[in-house]
Amino acid sequence: MSTVGGSGLEKIQDAERSPPAIVALKLAAVVFLFFVFLVGVNALSSSFKMMGAGFAQTLFNVSSNPIIALFSGMLATAIIQSSSTTTSIIVGLCSSGALSIGGAVPMIMGANLGTSVTNTLASLGHLRDRKNFATTFSAATVHDIFNILSVAVLLPFEMATGFIEKLATILGQGLYGVFSSVKFSSPIKTLLKPVVKGLKSFVEEIMGLENMTGGAALALISASIIMISLAFVVKIMKGLAESHKTDIMENLLSARSYVSILVGAVITFSVQSSSITTSLMIPMAGARILSLKSIFPITVGANIGTTTTAIIASLSGNVAGLIIALVHFIFNCLGMLIWYSIKPLRRVPLYLAEKLGEVCAQKRILGVAYIAIVFFVLPLGLIAL
């Protein structure tokens, strides 16, 4: 019987998997889309340079207030529904010199906060079932609470010491120096240059726009390229993940503690979206397949895995872009060290998420109000003030 059962499971797994030729084509498409994505990031840097010093000064003034910078990053990500897009745009801003690294650090933290709205919205699908809603809302908001707690500790610490910026600068300059010392000429930059130049010429010569208006038009085109290319990457990789969901499930169920963090990071790196990884946990929580305790490390891993998009974006820029990408990585690693590695503190986000789920299950309108206030009303209100 066991042999027959095992054979049946293998047939189901084989049926789910895409044929190798289709997988190869999809991966080739992903490589091409990443090239298009880098074109967008590079063109974005050019667009900010076209806008001139006045635009840069305005951006410097806005980002000089870390609270405004934090909520700007959060609101942008909540609206776009992708921290990968927000952080890639921030990398482009830093690479062009339009945004200082110090001003970008709170924005990166805000992007981390904003990205957790997607899986919290996914939990609303269980709104009608009170018992399931308590479980799924807790599973979703453990991501929110982990990010909120990380910002609550690390933003004041960063404002007082500049530790994350300094560490990222040392690492970024060291890594960048390795390549520059051996006269490394990036083939990516060589390939990107004529395409970006063509986009700039299109805006200036075909559209007849220059300076601020030309820069704004190029920025809009570039941001659209970034969002569309990343959306297609996520769609393709999500399809591949779906075809191998049995393998993913087995890895999630067999993983323990820090291995779960690695699994969460690898899945997120593969699909280039922490939202997909964390949203995948919601139905598993509702079906009681995964507990809140086992979902938490996967969420922490997803936070680390999502930093790879900014690192990829920095490949087409300069050392400033690389430094801000490393800021994103260091921030999430420090969050893990504080709120996961220290066992007594590990219980805090779990306890808060569980209690929030119970409260919102009793009055389910509070769940909707929580999302509206935390991710949209509060940031908009503070930015307006």
Side-chain angles (χ1 to χ4, degrees), residues 52-104:
F55 170 77
Q57 188 58 51
T58 302
L59 205 56
F60 272 120
N61 292 339
V62 171
S63 62
S64 63
N65 185 320
I67 303 302
I68 298 300
L70 174 80
F71 283 108
S72 297
M74 181 180 174
L75 184 63
T77 306
I79 292 168
I80 297 170
Q81 294 273 303
S82 172
S83 63
S84 299
T85 302
T86 309
T87 52
S88 299
I89 290 171
I90 293 169
V91 165
L93 283 163
C94 290
S95 294
S96 69
L99 182 63
S100 68
I101 293 165

Side-chain angles (χ1 to χ4, degrees), residues 83-257:
S83 63
S84 299
T85 302
T86 309
T87 52
S88 299
I89 290 171
I90 293 169
V91 165
L93 283 163
C94 290
S95 294
S96 69
L99 182 63
S100 68
I101 293 165
V105 172
M107 285 186 178
I108 289 287
M109 293 183 183
N112 244 50
L113 286 171
T115 194
S116 56
V117 69
T118 309
N119 52 299
T120 310
L121 284 168
S123 69
L124 296 181
H126 298 261
L127 202 59
R128 291 183 180 180
D129 188 331
R130 192 186 299 273
K131 191 176 179 182
N132 262 0
F133 184 61
T135 306
T136 54
F137 199 72
S138 294
T141 53
V142 75
H143 190 197
D144 307 1
I145 291 166
F146 171 76
N147 284 331
I148 290 167
L149 290 172
S150 295
V151 169
V153 171
L154 292 172
L155 181 60
F157 177 69
E158 178 64 15
M159 289 167 64
T161 65
F163 174 77
I164 297 174
E165 183 185 349
K166 289 171 186 173
L167 180 57
T169 301
I170 292 167
L171 291 173
Q173 289 176 343
L175 290 169
Y176 201 79
V178 168
F179 294 115
S180 59
S181 63
V182 294
K183 308 283 185 189
F184 176 75
S185 179
S186 171
I188 296 172
K189 288 184 180 180
T190 305
L191 290 168
L192 291 172
K193 198 171 181 179
V195 184
V196 174
K197 192 176 178 182
L199 277 174
K200 191 176 177 182
S201 298
F202 172 77
V203 170
E204 290 179 331
E205 295 171 18
I206 307 299
M207 295 178 73
L209 301 172
E210 293 181 353
N211 303 324
M212 182 63 79
T213 52
L218 184 57
L220 186 62
I221 293 168
S222 304
S224 300
I225 289 170
I226 291 169
M227 285 188 280
I228 292 167
S229 58
L230 268 182
F232 275 106
V233 167
V234 169
K235 188 176 181 179
I236 292 168
M237 294 308 294
K238 186 182 179 183
L240 287 174
E242 282 289 326
S243 66
H244 291 77
K245 62 186 175 186
T246 306
D247 297 328
I248 292 170
M249 277 285 294
E250 287 174 356
N251 286 328
L252 289 174
L253 291 170
S254 62
R256 291 290 181 272
S257 192

Side-chain angles (χ1 to χ4, degrees), residues 12-79:
I12 292 169
Q13 289 174 341
D14 289 339
E16 285 179 341
R17 291 191 181 100
S18 302
I22 299 298
V23 172
L25 280 172
K26 286 183 176 181
L27 290 176
V30 167
V31 171
F32 171 73
L33 286 165
F34 268 126
F35 175 76
V36 175
F37 163 72
L38 290 175
V39 167
V41 174
N42 217 254
L44 192 67
S45 293
S46 297
S47 73
F48 297 131
K49 289 174 183 174
M50 282 177 69
M51 290 185 201
F55 170 77
Q57 188 58 51
T58 302
L59 205 56
F60 272 120
N61 292 339
V62 171
S63 62
S64 63
N65 185 320
I67 303 302
I68 298 300
L70 174 80
F71 283 108
S72 297
M74 181 180 174
L75 184 63
T77 306
I79 292 168

